[in-house]
Amino acid sequence: MPKLITALRQGYGFGDLRADLIAGLTVAIVALPLAMALAIASGTTPDKGLVTAIVAGFLISALGGSRYQIGGPTGAFVVVVFNVIAEHGYDGLVLATLMAGAMLVVLGYGRIGTYIKYVPYPVVTGFTAGIAVIIFTSQIKDLLGLTMDTVPADFLSKVAAYAQALPTADAATMAVAFGSLALILVIRRLKPGLPIFLIAVVAGSLAVALVGLPVDTIGSRFGGIPTTLPTPVFPEITWQRLVDLSPSAFTIAFLAGIESLLSAVVADGMTGRKHRSNCELVAQGVANIGSALFGGMPATGAIARTATNVRSGARTPVAGMAHAVFLLVFVLALAPLAAFVPLASLAAVLVIVAWNMSEVKHVRHLMKAPMGDRVVLLLTFGLTVMVDLTVAIEVGVVLAAMLFMHRMANAVEVQTHTHLIDDDEDDFTRPRTPDYEPLPEGIEVYQISGPFFFGAAAKLGDVLDKLRRPPRVFILRMRLVPLIDATGGHALQEFLHRCRGHGTRVILSNVQPQPRQVLAELGFREDDHLGFTPDTPTAIAEATALLRAGR
């Protein structure tokens, strides 16, 4: 059931509508320049990005499983969309998007959304950082105003072509580009709540129009933006085209599923709500089908825009639907003005988008993880940049699975010194595990059993949601955890972050050597919110003392 129906059944008043409309307008202002910039970076025209944000954005919010999800074109699709258009034309992209939408609907009704979250964290970080590098390099031509007939798709060829065309750099274009970039950085530091992308694009447009700078604009390169939505068109379908476009459709579906569920998880963490992953996949599928039929691009949940929606006070999916309606109004009323937008300013916007996608902090964090996780991260990153996104995802997931099997084998080897079947012993010669006294109010004790790897890490985030109210002290027993990987460490970090937000202290008891080493490498240190104890009774005693002290 879509969250829209749930929200309306719970009661929807004028105050809710007002809050949703304000949030929708705020997000629409942020999404307007992004939609055009991402479409241009993907090798198509800016109106395709706007159509995607309007049609897919409305459907994702209306049918999705998250209260706060904002859908539309995102940076994750830039690489695959550019490659599909270059190889099969725009009509091929439409068919691939339709196929991906159908896949997502099937996956949602097949309840596969529950399992997509098990994709290892190093793989997600690796291909996301790789996409960021590709987006950045794709904007160098418009940043510097280089004179080039075509920009090669291959990364190394692209860099060589840029180096060859460097003497043709245009001073006026660079002034607009770097001026827009500086304006974005200054406003983000001084007034982060303002719509920095729109301000930079408007300022660049005014500078070009008033001074008469000879730089490329949307009007000079694309002829402006239509003032109406296109009519639905069905692409040509043949068996051979379906076969040829299947890998691209799979990649689009995979990215849409991963990105949308990641975005929904971020919204859950910000609000304490819970999304419905399978419902979200169905909505993503329907939205991609709708976007393709109206001449748009692939769409998914946009993490930054979803976070903006939450911060702007959204209460229900009506905010996301309103964001799409406001974008439609902007297109109908302001389309002629878009012709004056300089491509250099949009390139500056995408440079910031690429930096935000690169997740440098997470990459640095993962570089402290065990060697296997680092190899998965770097290999996925390298294949994304140098070869192909589909290959990178496939190799990354397979390598992570092989790494997990290797770790499981090592975990078994570590424990083979114990007897598989214990001999019979009476109660007098074998000490019994003490039965703990009833816990004081404000203390919760949970135990993790088995390897804490990428397949099990997602379950930890559900623990707090099952409690009626967050405890003062949360004891996590880890005696039965023989190993932990980077994804498990990341999940534990996210859990600690949520506990800090609730003022909950976490105590990890009886952490085994391999998990203790991995957590140390990932930067886990004792502080006011995290502690380590050798066993559970010590942890309970420490928690009880903290409660009595009123801490």
Side-chain angles (χ1 to χ4, degrees), residues 90 155 189 374 466 491 495 532:
Y90 179 74
F155 179 77
R189 176 174 289 273
R374 282 181 275 170
K466 295 178 180 179
F495 179 76
F532 293 86

Side-chain angles (χ1 to χ4, degrees), residues 64-430:
S66 170
R67 283 177 174 261
Y68 308 99
Q69 186 81 283
I70 298 294
T74 68
F77 288 125
V78 166
V79 179
V80 63
V81 169
F82 188 91
N83 291 338
V84 172
I85 292 176
E87 188 173 350
H88 302 282
Y90 179 74
D91 193 58
L93 174 67
V94 171
L95 182 54
T97 306
L98 280 173
M99 294 168 62
M103 290 179 186
L104 286 166
V105 172
V106 172
L107 292 175
Y109 277 109
R111 301 187 180 278
I112 306 299
T114 308
Y115 302 100
I116 288 183
K117 66 184 73 171
Y118 292 163
V119 175
Y121 183 60
V123 175
V124 176
T125 304
F127 74 67
T128 303
I131 291 170
V133 171
I134 294 175
I135 291 176
F136 172 76
T137 55
S138 70
Q139 297 308 300
I140 292 178
K141 176 179 180 292
D142 289 330
L143 276 174
L144 304 181
L146 302 179
T147 301
M148 302 173 66
D149 293 332
T150 58
V151 178
D154 180 68
F155 179 77
L156 295 179
S157 300
K158 186 184 301 180
V159 173
Y162 285 150
Q164 187 175 0
L166 197 57
T168 66
D170 179 66
T173 301
M174 288 193 291
V176 174
F178 289 104
S180 300
L181 189 60
L183 184 61
I184 291 173
L185 295 176
V186 169
I187 295 177
R188 186 164 72 170
R189 176 174 289 273
L190 299 179
K191 295 286 185 180
L194 295 179
I196 53 177
F197 292 153
L198 184 63
I199 293 173
V201 168
V202 170
S205 303
L206 290 174
V208 170
L210 295 177
V211 181
L213 296 175
V215 301
D216 280 347
T217 63
I218 288 179
S220 65
R221 185 176 295 185
F222 302 104
I225 293 177
T227 56
T228 59
L229 285 178
T231 55
V233 177
F234 214 76
E236 177 189 358
I237 300 178
T238 63
W239 178 252
Q240 189 59 46
R241 295 192 82 200
L242 292 176
V243 173
D244 292 342
L245 289 167
S246 291
S248 299
F250 168 79
T251 303
I252 292 172
F254 179 84
L255 288 177
I258 284 287
E259 194 83 0
S260 64
L261 295 184
L262 284 176
S263 179
V265 168
V266 169
D268 290 348
M270 296 177 68
T271 62
R273 295 278 187 174
K274 195 73 174 174
H275 74 280
R276 298 170 184 150
S277 56
N278 294 304
C279 181
E280 187 63 31
L281 287 188
V282 173
Q284 297 291 335
V286 174
N288 275 278
I289 292 172
S291 175
L293 293 179
F294 278 90
M297 299 162 48
T300 185
I303 296 176
R305 276 161 272 173
T306 298
T308 301
N309 189 40
V310 173
R311 295 192 192 101
S312 301
R315 297 182 183 177
T316 72
V318 173
M321 298 162 64
H323 128 270
V325 173
F326 281 123
L327 280 175
L328 177 60
V329 172
F330 292 160
V331 170
L332 297 178
L334 305 176
L337 299 179
F340 298 99
V341 174
L343 298 181
S345 293
L346 293 179
V349 168
L350 286 176
V351 167
I352 300 299
V353 170
W355 174 257
N356 293 338
M357 282 189 67
S358 66
E359 297 187 327
V360 174
K361 180 176 68 174
H362 296 296
V363 172
R364 288 176 180 169
H365 184 71
L366 275 175
M367 290 308 293
K368 301 176 183 178
M371 177 60 71
D373 294 304
R374 282 181 275 170
V375 170
V376 172
L377 168 69
L378 295 175
L379 187 60
T380 306
F381 172 80
L383 289 174
T384 300
V385 175
M386 298 293 183
V387 183
D388 179 71
L389 182 59
T390 305
V391 174
I393 293 171
E394 292 171 350
V395 172
V397 171
V398 171
L399 184 59
M402 294 176 64
L403 181 63
F404 166 68
M405 289 186 287
H406 172 72
R407 286 172 173 164
M408 285 297 294
N410 288 342
V412 172
E413 291 174 5
V414 167
Q415 298 189 27
T416 52
H417 65 277
T418 60
H419 296 293
L420 294 178
I421 302 176
D422 290 333
D423 296 330
D424 288 339
E425 296 180 9
D426 60 52
D427 292 340
F428 297 99
T429 58
R430 182 174 183 174

